[in-house]
Amino acid sequence: MSYTYDFFKESADYVLGKIDYKPEVGLILGSALGTIVDEIENQVVIDFESIPNFLKSTVKAMAGQLILGDLNGKKVACMNGRFHFYEGYSFEQLVIPIRLFKLLGVKTTVLTNAAGGINYDYKPGDVMIIKDHIKFMGASPLRGENIPEFGPRFFDVGTMYTPRLRELAKECAKETTINMHEGNYYFWSGPQFETPAEINAIRMLGGDAVGMSTVTESITAAHCGMDLLAMSLITNNCGDMTDEPTTPEEVGEMGTKVAPQMKKLVRTIVGKL
Ligand code: HPA
């Protein structure tokens, strides 16, 4: 299905009706990283369910709220919870959050997620700045009629993960205990985790970490010309790196464990945008 510009504008007008400013930074926080919202001051909280034409979160660990307010001196719009292909949404539907950000006035988006480590140098608890991604599964979220108000039909994605912001994230990580890497995120449609053979294949293709989110948001941000930073918390090792099964519990536990450092990192980065 194809959406119209007015479809997106209706959501944005509803949100803008509840605040008297335009947020300049957009944040989407992945599994168990939602505690960053505690840092936001002067909060206006809007349930996803109440936003016209918005999507509804089906993942229990995720809160399903849009939080507007101040973070380290910046006006932010923060999605606590996100939408995934494995929940049943089409790739085309997954443009909705970033297009809302765009129409709210957001210039820079920061994304976080939980991911499995594939690079042999990565350990659970490390963080990877996404330098680039590989999405060989399924269609583009920009498939269908183009909406020129957002961006052109065909567009470059060579530096969609803004190099300046990647450098900033590396600098800011020095003020934390985080062991930071930079690498390629491999999009996995899920909901099953990967087989060991699939992990070997992903490694051969150049993936350093694997996860089930983020890329649709990144592609949508690139289309509408936003600056973008995306970071993966490595919650577990994959395939031949471990004998343990991957579980959502360990993903959640690692998220909780590293949350204080992630919080500090995101806060510092936002302050310097
Ligand atoms: N694979 C895919 N997604 C994930 C993983 C994983 O191992 N860990 C956290 N999210």
Side-chain angles (χ1 to χ4, degrees), residues 9 16 36 47 58 65-66 73 78 82 89 112 116 144 221 240 260:
K9 194 165 174 301
L16 287 170
I36 297 169
D47 286 341
T58 68
Q65 289 174 327
L66 179 70
C78 174
R82 61 146 59 88
Y89 298 115
T112 67
D240 62 349

Side-chain angles (χ1 to χ4, degrees), residues 31 113-118 185-186 188 190-194 199 209-213 233-239 246-247 250-251:
S31 329
N113 62 44
I118 292 186
Y185 178 92
Y186 191 98
W188 184 253
Q192 80 285 2
F193 294 112
E194 309 73 26
I199 290 295
V210 59
M212 303 177 194
S213 68
L233 168 64
I234 306 299
T235 53
N236 55 282
N237 284 140
C238 295
T246 304
T247 64
E250 72 177 324
V251 171

Side-chain angles (χ1 to χ4, degrees), residues 203-230:
R203 190 181 288 118
M204 274 190 269
L205 288 171
D208 296 296
V210 59
M212 303 177 194
S213 68
T214 304
V215 296
T216 50
E217 296 147 7
S218 303
I219 294 167
T220 311
H223 180 247
C224 66
M226 267 184 202
D227 286 338
L228 176 67
L229 173 68

Side-chain angles (χ1 to χ4, degrees), residues 148-213:
E149 287 91 338
F150 287 112
R153 169 80 294 183
F154 302 105
F155 56 104
D156 188 74
V157 288
T159 52
M160 60 193 286
Y161 297 96
T162 312
R164 175 176 52 81
L165 297 182
R166 291 177 1 224
E167 290 311 311
L168 175 65
K170 277 182 228 169
E171 276 308 305
C172 295
K174 290 180 188 160
E175 294 171 31
T176 69
T177 58
I178 290 171
N179 192 25
M180 193 61 113
H181 306 279
E182 194 173 25
N184 297 326
Y185 178 92
Y186 191 98
F187 171 72
W188 184 253
S189 59
Q192 80 285 2
F193 294 112
E194 309 73 26
T195 68
E198 286 161 344
I199 290 295
N200 286 339
I202 294 169
R203 190 181 288 118
M204 274 190 269
L205 288 171
D208 296 296
V210 59
M212 303 177 194
S213 68

